[in-house]
Amino acid sequence: MAQTPNGQQEYFVVKAKENGVHVIGLTRGSDTRFHHTEKLDKGEVMLAQFTEHTSAIKVRGKAVIYTHHGIIDTSDEKQA
């Protein structure tokens, strides 16, 4: 499980760029399952943390995700 230098679990921030952005928590373990979902409206921000129960998140919709690894904008599209 990834930890920050002070031993805490990693935090991430999701900021919705449109109404109806879904943030879905996925469980840790041999069976990966959805265990929690939040719906954000434009401008809303969710601060969350990876835990012993949450190993991954899925973000559906246009949002900006901030982690200590960098910033991800889900609306960025590469042109072929």
Side-chain angles (χ1 to χ4, degrees):
M1 201 170 346
Q3 294 184 351
T4 61
N6 66 2
Q8 298 295 315
Q9 302 308 317
E10 281 187 47
Y11 284 88
F12 58 92
V13 175
V14 178
K15 182 176 181 182
K17 294 176 70 175
E18 65 182 0
N19 289 337
V21 171
H22 289 261
V23 180
I24 304 162
L26 300 159
T27 61
R28 184 177 303 282
S30 58
D31 284 336
T32 301
R33 298 180 183 186
F34 296 133
H35 74 82
H36 186 83
T37 186
E38 290 288 334
K39 185 175 176 184
L40 304 177
D41 286 331
K42 185 175 181 176
E44 289 187 322
V45 174
M46 179 177 172
L47 176 67
Q49 182 180 34
F50 289 105
T51 68
E52 65 275 1
H53 301 294
T54 303
S55 64
I57 62 160
K58 177 178 181 176
V59 177
R60 184 174 291 152
K62 292 181 181 179
V64 180
I65 304 159
Y66 300 88
T67 74
H68 85 274
H69 298 287
I71 300 170
I72 300 106
D73 187 329
T74 64
S75 62
D76 284 349
E77 294 182 20
K78 300 254 185 217
Q79 297 297 321

